[in-house]
PDB file of all heavy atoms in Angstrom:
ATOM      1  N   ASP A 141      51.663  12.438 -49.975  1.00 98.00           N
ATOM      2  CA  ASP A 141      51.052  13.321 -48.980  1.00 98.00           C
ATOM      3  C   ASP A 141      50.387  12.524 -47.855  1.00 98.00           C
ATOM      4  O   ASP A 141      49.534  11.672 -48.118  1.00 98.00           O
ATOM      5  CB  ASP A 141      50.010  14.201 -49.695  1.00 98.00           C
ATOM      6  CG  ASP A 141      49.712  15.476 -48.936  1.00 98.00           C
ATOM      7  OD1 ASP A 141      50.192  15.632 -47.803  1.00 98.00           O
ATOM      8  OD2 ASP A 141      48.997  16.322 -49.506  1.00 98.00           O
ATOM      9  N   ASP A 142      50.783  12.811 -46.637  1.00 98.00           N
ATOM     10  CA  ASP A 142      50.174  12.195 -45.431  1.00 98.00           C
ATOM     11  C   ASP A 142      50.439  10.694 -45.313  1.00 98.00           C
ATOM     12  O   ASP A 142      49.686   9.980 -44.644  1.00 98.00           O
ATOM     13  CB  ASP A 142      48.654  12.412 -45.389  1.00 98.00           C
ATOM     14  CG  ASP A 142      48.255  13.809 -44.939  1.00 98.00           C
ATOM     15  OD1 ASP A 142      49.146  14.675 -44.836  1.00 98.00           O
ATOM     16  OD2 ASP A 142      47.067  14.040 -44.688  1.00 98.00           O
ATOM     17  N   VAL A 179      52.246  18.668 -40.351  1.00 97.00           N
ATOM     18  CA  VAL A 179      51.240  19.189 -41.285  1.00 97.00           C
ATOM     19  C   VAL A 179      51.976  19.646 -42.543  1.00 97.00           C
ATOM     20  O   VAL A 179      53.124  20.107 -42.474  1.00 97.00           O
ATOM     21  CB  VAL A 179      50.455  20.367 -40.660  1.00 97.00           C
ATOM     22  CG1 VAL A 179      49.482  20.975 -41.659  1.00 97.00           C
ATOM     23  CG2 VAL A 179      49.672  19.904 -39.416  1.00 97.00           C
ATOM     24  N   CYS A 180      51.267  19.563 -43.683  1.00 96.00           N
ATOM     25  CA  CYS A 180      51.882  19.750 -45.008  1.00 96.00           C
ATOM     26  C   CYS A 180      52.789  20.972 -45.163  1.00 96.00           C
ATOM     27  O   CYS A 180      53.977  20.842 -45.427  1.00 96.00           O
ATOM     28  CB  CYS A 180      50.801  19.858 -46.084  1.00 96.00           C
ATOM     29  SG  CYS A 180      49.535  18.590 -46.011  1.00 96.00           S
ATOM     30  N   ARG A 184      56.841  20.861 -45.486  1.00 97.00           N
ATOM     31  CA  ARG A 184      57.450  21.001 -46.816  1.00 97.00           C
ATOM     32  C   ARG A 184      58.340  22.244 -46.884  1.00 97.00           C
ATOM     33  O   ARG A 184      59.426  22.220 -47.467  1.00 97.00           O
ATOM     34  CB  ARG A 184      56.353  21.051 -47.884  1.00 97.00           C
ATOM     35  CG  ARG A 184      55.668  19.706 -48.047  1.00 97.00           C
ATOM     36  CD  ARG A 184      54.358  19.807 -48.808  1.00 97.00           C
ATOM     37  NE  ARG A 184      53.656  18.535 -48.772  1.00 97.00           N
ATOM     38  CZ  ARG A 184      53.469  17.743 -49.821  1.00 97.00           C
ATOM     39  NH1 ARG A 184      53.896  18.093 -51.003  1.00 97.00           N
ATOM     40  NH2 ARG A 184      52.839  16.586 -49.681  1.00 97.00           N
ATOM     41  N   LYS A 231      51.739  18.178 -55.965  1.00 94.00           N
ATOM     42  CA  LYS A 231      52.004  18.935 -54.732  1.00 94.00           C
ATOM     43  C   LYS A 231      53.411  18.691 -54.191  1.00 94.00           C
ATOM     44  O   LYS A 231      53.665  17.655 -53.575  1.00 94.00           O
ATOM     45  CB  LYS A 231      50.956  18.515 -53.688  1.00 94.00           C
ATOM     46  CG  LYS A 231      51.073  19.203 -52.347  1.00 94.00           C
ATOM     47  CD  LYS A 231      49.886  18.824 -51.471  1.00 94.00           C
ATOM     48  CE  LYS A 231      50.080  19.228 -50.037  1.00 94.00           C
ATOM     49  NZ  LYS A 231      48.921  18.844 -49.197  1.00 94.00           N
ATOM     50  N   HIS A 326      46.458  11.303 -48.893  1.00 98.00           N
ATOM     51  CA  HIS A 326      45.747  12.440 -48.271  1.00 98.00           C
ATOM     52  C   HIS A 326      44.255  12.393 -48.653  1.00 98.00           C
ATOM     53  O   HIS A 326      43.903  11.933 -49.736  1.00 98.00           O
ATOM     54  CB  HIS A 326      46.397  13.720 -48.794  1.00 98.00           C
ATOM     55  CG  HIS A 326      46.019  14.971 -48.063  1.00 98.00           C
ATOM     56  ND1 HIS A 326      44.757  15.526 -48.145  1.00 98.00           N
ATOM     57  CD2 HIS A 326      46.733  15.788 -47.259  1.00 98.00           C
ATOM     58  CE1 HIS A 326      44.713  16.641 -47.406  1.00 98.00           C
ATOM     59  NE2 HIS A 326      45.910  16.809 -46.851  1.00 98.00           N
ATOM     60  N   ASP A 419      55.298  13.492 -46.099  1.00 98.00           N
ATOM     61  CA  ASP A 419      55.560  14.829 -45.535  1.00 98.00           C
ATOM     62  C   ASP A 419      55.161  14.935 -44.069  1.00 98.00           C
ATOM     63  O   ASP A 419      55.577  15.841 -43.361  1.00 98.00           O
ATOM     64  CB  ASP A 419      54.875  15.928 -46.353  1.00 98.00           C
ATOM     65  CG  ASP A 419      53.353  15.858 -46.304  1.00 98.00           C
ATOM     66  OD1 ASP A 419      52.802  14.764 -46.023  1.00 98.00           O
ATOM     67  OD2 ASP A 419      52.707  16.893 -46.542  1.00 98.00           O
ATOM     68  N   ASN A 420      54.322  14.007 -43.607  1.00 98.00           N
ATOM     69  CA  ASN A 420      53.955  13.914 -42.184  1.00 98.00           C
ATOM     70  C   ASN A 420      53.313  12.546 -41.982  1.00 98.00           C
ATOM     71  O   ASN A 420      52.902  11.897 -42.948  1.00 98.00           O
ATOM     72  CB  ASN A 420      52.987  15.033 -41.755  1.00 98.00           C
ATOM     73  CG  ASN A 420      51.748  15.143 -42.627  1.00 98.00           C
ATOM     74  OD1 ASN A 420      51.646  16.051 -43.468  1.00 98.00           O
ATOM     75  ND2 ASN A 420      50.808  14.230 -42.475  1.00 98.00           N
ATOM     76  N   LYS A 432      46.405  13.961 -38.559  1.00 97.00           N
ATOM     77  CA  LYS A 432      47.818  14.225 -38.256  1.00 97.00           C
ATOM     78  C   LYS A 432      47.867  15.317 -37.195  1.00 97.00           C
ATOM     79  O   LYS A 432      47.002  15.355 -36.329  1.00 97.00           O
ATOM     80  CB  LYS A 432      48.499  14.656 -39.546  1.00 97.00           C
ATOM     81  CG  LYS A 432      47.711  15.761 -40.238  1.00 97.00           C
ATOM     82  CD  LYS A 432      47.888  15.767 -41.719  1.00 97.00           C
ATOM     83  CE  LYS A 432      46.979  16.804 -42.353  1.00 97.00           C
ATOM     84  NZ  LYS A 432      47.026  16.825 -43.795  1.00 97.00           N
TER      85      LYS A 432
HETATM   86 CA1  LIG B 193      50.679  16.206 -45.648  1.00 91.29          CA
END
Side-chain angles (χ1 to χ4, degrees):
D141 202 353
D142 282 10
V179 176
C180 312
R184 290 165 188 249
K231 180 173 168 180
H326 193 290
D419 66 337
N420 53 256
K432 50 208 175 183

